[in-house]
Amino acid sequence: MDTTSFTKKSIGGVATMEPALTPPITHAQTTFAKKTKIGTGKSKTKKRDIPEGLWTKCPTCATMIFDKELDENLKVCPKCNHHFPIGSRERIHSLVETCTFEEMDAAMASVDVLGFKGVATYASKLEAYKKNTTLKDAVVTGLCKIGEQRVALGVMDFNFLGGSMGSVVGEKLTRLIERGTEKELPVVIISTSGGARMYEGMFSLMQMAKTSAALAYHAQHRLPYISVLTHPTTAGVMASYATLGDLILAEPGAMIGFAGPRVIKDTTQAELPPGFQTAEFLLDHGLIDAIVSRREMKAQLIEYLNFLAVRKKAAAS
Ligand SMILES: [Zn+2]
C-alpha cells in the first residue's frame, strides 16, 4: 500500500495507472532473461535427440548426411550438390504457395485391363505399390499458385512402379493439360520415369499420342508449357510430353534418354561420348534450355512464369 501511494505522489493525476504498471515491466524484463536460460535447457534435449536419427551416405562424395538436414535441403547433398530422388508430395510442397494446391483426379487408379501375369500379377503389384507409397499412381496433378501465377502442375513419382506411364498417368496429365487450356493457364510437368508401363501394353503406348495431342491443343491457344526433367527421365515419357516443352529444364546430373546406352551402343556399333545422356551433355547439344538446381527451381520457375505472363499480356494488347 505504501509503495502505490508513493508513485501516485510522484506522477499523480490521470496517469496514476501508468506508474503502477511501469515498475513490474522492468522486473519482467529481467525475468525474460531468466526464461532464455530455460530455452537453452530445451536445446540440450534436442541435442540428445540427434543420435537417434538416420544418416544417408552421398553416392557421389561419400559424405554422411543427417537425414533431417537432407530433408531441409530438399534432398540435395550440401557438399557436392548430388540430387537424391524426391517424392511427388515433397516436391509439390517445395514449389507451390502454401494451401494453394487443388488436387485433380486424386482417386483415379489403374486397372489390370490385360489380366497381366508375370512373376507377379499386375494387380498384386499395384496393390503393393499403393500400400508402400500411399499414392494411387505415378503422377499427382492439380491447379496451384507458383509465386503470383496460377499454374496447372503435374509431378511424377519414381517410387510408384518406376514412374512408369500407364493409362492413369496419361489420363491424369491429359486432363490437367486440358484444364490448363480451358482456364488459360501455363502447364508445368515435372517428369521422372522409366517409360511406358509394360503391364498395360498398347494402352500405355497410346498415352504418348494422347498427352502430345493435348499439349498441341494447349500450344494452339498460345499458352506456355514448361517441362522439368529429373533423374531419370527415359523412354516413352522422354519421347512424348517431357521433351515437348516450350522451355525444357533439367536437374543437375539427371539421366535423360530414350533407349539405354547399352542398346544404343549395340545398335550403332559406335563408342558413346563421355557424359552421354546426362542433363549437362544434352544442354551442350541443345536438347534442353537450362539446368536448374532443385534448391533454385521455385525461384527460376517464378521468373520464367512471370516473364511468359508479361509476354502474353503484351501479345494480347
Ligand atoms: Zn555429396
Side-chain angles (χ1 to χ4, degrees):
M1 281 299 282
D2 282 344
T3 46
T4 45
S5 61
F6 197 67
T7 49
K8 264 179 195 170
K9 266 181 194 172
S10 58
I11 291 155
V14 195
T16 40
M17 287 307 285
E18 278 183 69
L21 286 170
T22 18
I25 281 174
T26 51
H27 282 294
Q29 276 167 347
T30 50
T31 49
F32 270 134
K34 275 176 195 168
K35 270 182 189 169
T36 53
K37 277 181 189 169
I38 299 164
T40 50
K42 268 181 194 170
S43 69
K44 267 180 199 169
T45 56
K46 266 184 192 169
K47 269 181 191 169
R48 258 178 241 146
D49 291 340
I50 289 171
E52 290 166 24
L54 292 165
W55 299 75
T56 303
K57 191 178 179 182
C58 172
T60 308
C61 72
T63 305
M64 293 297 286
I65 315 158
F66 182 46
D67 276 354
K68 196 170 166 253
E69 193 190 349
L70 196 59
D71 285 344
E72 283 165 0
N73 210 33
L74 299 177
K75 299 257 167 79
V76 176
C77 172
K79 209 167 182 193
C80 73
N81 203 33
H82 173 83
H83 283 50
F84 288 83
I86 188 171
S88 48
R89 303 270 173 205
E90 279 172 284
R91 196 184 285 276
I92 290 166
H93 185 71
S94 78
L95 294 174
V96 162
E97 303 311 315
T98 319
C99 299
T100 63
F101 191 76
E102 306 158 34
E103 191 173 350
M104 286 169 58
D105 308 305
M108 198 187 284
S110 292
V111 179
D112 182 15
V113 203
L114 304 177
F116 189 95
K117 286 182 193 82
V119 181
T121 63
Y122 181 36
S124 68
K125 285 229 165 205
L126 283 172
E127 271 317 302
Y129 276 95
K130 273 186 209 168
K131 215 179 255 176
N132 294 340
T133 61
T134 67
L135 293 163
K136 287 275 191 313
D137 215 290
V139 74
V140 178
T141 56
L143 303 185
C144 64
K145 257 179 120 176
I146 299 179
E148 289 299 306
Q149 306 297 333
R150 288 261 293 163
V151 171
L153 176 72
V155 180
M156 297 191 73
D157 200 313
F158 200 79
N159 293 321
F160 196 97
L161 268 165
S164 54
M165 173 179 59
S167 310
V168 166
V169 170
E171 182 64 19
K172 279 176 93 169
L173 286 174
T174 304
R175 287 185 187 196
L176 177 82
I177 299 159
E178 285 176 349
R179 182 73 64 85
T181 312
E182 183 193 305
K183 298 208 176 260
E184 300 200 310
L185 300 177
V187 169
V188 176
I189 299 176
I190 316 239
S191 296
T192 172
S193 178
R197 192 172 294 176
M198 60 164 188
Y199 305 101
E200 293 187 24
M202 201 61 202
F203 292 98
S204 68
L205 293 176
M206 271 169 57
Q207 309 309 317
M208 292 170 68
K210 191 167 82 182
T211 50
S212 302
L215 281 171
Y217 192 62
H218 183 256
Q220 266 179 21
H221 287 72
R222 302 188 65 77
L223 296 163
Y225 163 43
I226 302 177
S227 174
V228 182
L229 315 179
T230 69
H231 181 77
T233 300
T234 58
V237 168
M238 146 86 178
S240 58
Y241 57 85
T243 42
L244 287 173
D246 297 304
L247 208 55
I248 305 174
L249 314 177
E251 281 191 342
M255 190 247 187
I256 300 155
F258 183 64
R262 216 179 310 148
V263 176
I264 298 173
K265 205 177 163 185
D266 288 349
T267 314
T268 59
Q269 297 290 315
E271 269 312 305
L272 299 173
F276 183 67
Q277 291 188 329
T278 60
E280 290 73 12
F281 183 89
L282 295 170
L283 179 71
D284 284 345
H285 292 77
L287 185 92
I288 59 174
D289 298 300
I291 294 177
V292 182
S293 171
R294 192 177 293 157
R295 300 198 54 207
E296 268 111 55
M297 190 59 81
K298 184 177 177 175
Q300 280 297 321
L301 281 177
I302 290 173
E303 200 169 298
Y304 293 136
L305 290 166
N306 285 344
F307 175 76
L308 292 163
V310 170
R311 297 282 294 179
K312 192 169 180 283
K313 265 184 202 163
S317 61

